[in-house]
Every structure is written in structure tokens, then in C-alpha cells.
């Protein structure tokens, strides 16, 4: 009788052999945190509150001069009321935790396998996805909305959003540059419409390899002078995706970081995330907990436009 692989499985052969390398599932962590389009308004550390109030005032040309209309040149000029306001950015605790047994860790296949330290690294890298998630929720709340519900995004609607920014605040206009944050489906629809145009006047400039390396894989290029990023975290109501086109100063964020953790067995700052590890010795188990403190809000509603299109 011939010796076959099947006859050896169980004693001398394995039914499956796992690969040495762990292939990562697709994630979406590209965000605008390190671009001019997001304003860092401060840290709550040592501020006495979990909320940072961003003050706003109409200065440097907000109010204009008026021609003197008095009966005589000696008449007093009337005071102009200063226009002011504020926006609050509330920082909230965000958390992500895992537990892993000693047995699960010790049976790993060397460096890079699933163990407490690789999990801690993963938690820290998840901060970028958290930032993208909060950004998608924030940009959906711009007051001005362009696009047509249950209709694919096209060049005309994209242009409507740009023109709305250029005419913002009673035609004062939001200063550029502008960025578009779109759901991948919105971007695909926009691409289809660009390709359908035969006049060649409007040219889409795709992202170069160097630009993608610097700005992330979800940077798509420029169209009509607007930088385009995609994000799967763009929200939808079941009918429409709510992307956005906005200018610097439209969206701001605040953060915080614990300074020392009394009683923590082991803690470390990994980027914007505080990682703690704690033991449950009777279970031979390590718990890895990551905390991030982050808040985001619309800072200037005149500097952004929500852009809706069909899901």
C-alpha cells in the first residue's frame, strides 16, 4: 500500500500549516490630521475643563467704513457693535481593549505575531481610524448642503459646492485652498462623470506616487483646484452619503493625555494613545487597554459645505 499524505495526517503530517507572516485585513486609517485643513485648537491638560472654547470675533475688515452723513463735520460718529461668538470643542474619552492568554502569546510564530506588545501597537495605530471616524461625523453637519438626494455625484454638483464656498458669508468667500472628503462611492461617481465629459477643459489630476506616499493611500488627486481624499467613515442616512468640501479653519480638534497613572502596573504613551497592561494572574491573562482623549467640532460653518449623493 502506498504511503500518501492523507494517511500521514494526524500523526506525521498536519492538515494545515499556518503561514509565518500574518497578512493584514484592509483598514481605512487615512485622515486629515496632519494637513492644513484641520485646526488643532489645544490640549485640555492643565486647562481646568474638558471643553476648549474657541473665541471668534469680526475683526480685520469684517465691518466696513461708512461715508459720513452728519449735518456738520463736527458730528460724532456712531459706534459699531463688535460681532463675536464662540464654538466649544468637547474632549471625550475613547477606548479600545483586548485580553490575551499566556498560552495564546507563547504559541506565536516569532516577532510580529499576536502577543501583548503587537496588540498594543495595533491599538496605537487605531487612533488614525478614530480620527477619520470623528472627521466623517463632523463634516456631515455643515449647514449649507449641495448635491441632490438619491442622485449620483457629478461635476455640476461638485462645482456647486465650490461656488458655495466662494460666495460664503454674504459673498465674502471662504479663502482656499479647498479639500473634498468623499465616500469612495461618491468619488467613483464623480470619476465616471469626469470621464464622460469630452470637452477636455476640466482635467482631473490623479495623485502621483510621491503624493500618495506623503498624504496616504486615500489621497486621490486634484480636480478644479480641490484636493480630494476618500474615507469609508463618511456617514450616510440610508439614502445619501454626506461628504464635504471645506477650507482650512472649518473643522477643529482638541486632545489630551494623562500625565502619570498612579497604580498602573505598566503604562506607556504610544503617539496619542495611553496604553496600559494589567495582569489577571489567576487566569494567566494579560489585558491591554488603550485610551485616547479627542474631540472635534465645526469651528467656522461658513468655511464648509456638505456634499450629498446617493449611497
Amino acid at each position: 500500500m502506498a504511503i500518501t499524505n492523507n494517511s500521514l495526517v494526524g500523526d506525521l503530517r498536519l492538515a494545515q500549516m499556518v503561514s509565518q507572516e500574518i497578512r493584514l485585513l484592509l483598514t481605512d486609517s487615512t485622515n486629515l490630521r496632519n494637513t492644513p485643513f484641520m485646526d488643532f485648537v489645544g490640549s485640555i491638560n492643565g486647562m481646568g475643563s474638558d471643553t476648549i472654547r474657541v473665541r471668534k470675533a469680526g475683526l480685520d475688515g469684517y465691518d466696513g467704513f461708512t461715508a459720513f452723513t452728519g449735518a456738520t463735520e463736527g458730528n460724532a460718529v456712531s459706534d459699531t457693535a463688535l460681532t463675536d461668538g464662540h464654538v466649544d470643542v468637547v474632549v471625550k474619552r475613547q477606548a479600545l481593549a483586548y485580553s490575551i492568554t499566556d498560552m495564546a502569546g507563547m504559541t506565536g510564530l516569532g516577532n510580529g505575531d499576536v502577543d501583548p506588545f503587537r496588540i498594543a501597537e495595533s491599538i496605537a495605530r487605531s487612533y488614525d481610524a478614530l480620527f477619520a471616524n470623528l472627521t466623517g461625523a463632523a463634516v456631515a453637519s455643515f449647514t449649507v448642503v449641495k448635491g441632490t438626494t438619491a442622485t449620483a455625484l457629478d461635476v455640476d454638483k461638485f462645482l456647486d459646492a465650490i461656488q458655495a464656498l466662494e460666495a460664503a458669508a454674504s459673498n465674502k468667500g471662504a479663502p482656499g485652498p479647498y479639500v473634498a472628503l468623499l465616500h469612495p462611492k461618491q468619488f467613483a461617481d464623480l470619476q465616471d462623470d469626469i470621464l464622460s465629459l469630452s470637452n477636455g477643459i476640466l482635467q482631473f489630476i490623479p495623485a502621483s506616487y510621491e503624493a500618495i506616499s506623503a498624504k496616504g493611500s486615500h489621497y486621490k488627486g486634484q480636480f478644479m483646484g480641490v484636493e480630494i481624499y476618500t474615507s469609508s467613515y463618511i456617514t450616510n442616512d440610508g439614502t445619501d452619503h454626506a461628504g464635504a468640501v471645506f477650507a482650512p479653519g472649518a473643522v477643529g480638534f482638541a486632545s489630551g493625555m494623562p500625565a502619570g497613572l498612579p497604580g498602573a502596573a505598566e503604562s506607556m504613551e504610544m503617539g496619542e494613545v495611553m496604553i496600559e497592561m494589567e495582569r489577571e494572574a489567576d487566569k494567566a491573562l494579560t489585558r491591554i487597554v488603550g485610551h485616547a482623549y479627542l474631540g472635534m467640532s465645526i469651528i467656522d460653518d461658513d468655511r464648509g459645505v456638505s456634499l450629498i449623493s446617493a449611497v
Side-chain angles (χ1 to χ4, degrees):
M1 180 178 179
I3 299 173
T4 66
N5 180 73
N6 287 341
S7 68
L8 298 179
V9 170
D11 294 319
L12 301 179
R13 296 291 185 271
L14 297 175
Q16 299 89 21
M17 172 62 76
V18 298
S19 63
Q20 183 75 23
E21 179 184 3
I22 295 178
R23 299 297 180 95
L24 300 179
L25 298 175
L26 287 176
T27 61
D28 180 2
S29 58
T30 299
N31 61 73
L32 302 179
R33 177 160 60 109
N34 295 318
T35 72
F37 303 108
M38 299 296 294
D39 278 3
F40 176 62
V41 300
S43 169
I44 61 171
N45 284 41
M47 297 296 289
S49 174
D50 64 354
T51 301
I52 292 182
R53 175 159 289 186
V54 180
R55 301 179 298 163
K56 301 196 292 184
L59 300 171
D60 298 339
Y62 186 87
D63 297 311
F65 283 82
T66 56
F68 180 72
T69 58
T72 65
E73 64 178 288
N75 283 11
V77 65
S78 299
D79 287 342
T80 298
L82 178 66
T83 302
D84 60 10
H86 69 270
V87 172
D88 290 338
V89 181
V90 181
V91 174
K92 296 183 178 180
R93 180 172 71 103
Q94 315 282 344
L96 180 60
Y98 297 89
S99 295
I100 183 171
T101 65
D102 294 348
M103 184 72 76
M106 73 176 70
T107 55
L109 300 178
N111 293 333
D113 210 311
V114 177
D115 61 23
F117 297 100
R118 180 63 181 88
I119 290 175
E121 180 184 355
S122 175
I123 292 175
R125 291 181 176 179
S126 295
Y127 182 85
D128 287 334
L130 166 65
F131 197 97
N133 190 10
L134 294 184
T135 304
V139 301
S141 60
F142 285 122
T143 301
V144 176
V145 178
K146 295 298 178 180
T148 303
T149 185
T151 303
L153 180 62
D154 58 24
V155 172
D156 286 342
K157 303 302 185 297
F158 193 79
L159 180 59
D160 285 345
I162 297 172
Q163 292 175 333
L165 288 178
E166 292 173 339
S170 301
N171 294 306
K172 294 182 177 69
Y178 300 154
V179 65
L181 187 61
L182 306 176
H183 188 274
K185 174 63 164 55
Q186 291 184 296
F187 178 64
D189 290 340
L190 179 61
Q191 279 185 310
D192 288 343
D193 196 50
I194 293 172
L195 290 172
S196 72
L197 299 176
S198 58
N199 53 31
I201 297 175
L202 301 176
Q203 183 179 7
F204 174 73
I205 304 174
S208 64
Y209 175 80
E210 291 77 13
I212 293 174
S213 298
K215 299 180 180 183
S217 60
H218 287 251
Y219 175 66
K220 299 304 180 183
Q222 290 190 1
F223 183 58
M224 302 177 72
V226 178
E227 295 197 18
I228 299 177
Y229 289 79
T230 60
S231 173
S232 63
Y233 294 102
I234 290 296
T235 62
N236 73 80
D237 59 4
T239 302
D240 299 307
H241 291 298
V245 180
F246 56 98
V251 184
F253 68 98
S255 63
M257 175 66 72
L261 298 173
E266 183 175 355
S267 64
M268 51 191 166
E269 291 184 24
M270 298 183 71
E272 299 295 327
V273 182
M274 176 63 76
I275 303 291
E276 294 180 70
M277 294 188 184
E278 61 182 13
R279 287 288 295 170
E280 294 186 36
D282 59 336
K283 298 179 181 178
L285 181 145
T286 301
R287 183 169 167 80
I288 308 98
V289 183
H291 287 106
Y293 295 83
L294 179 64
M296 193 175 296
S297 182
I298 300 296
I299 302 299
D300 191 340
D301 191 52
D302 288 331
R303 297 175 187 262
V305 174
S306 179
L307 185 57
I308 64 171
S309 65
V311 297

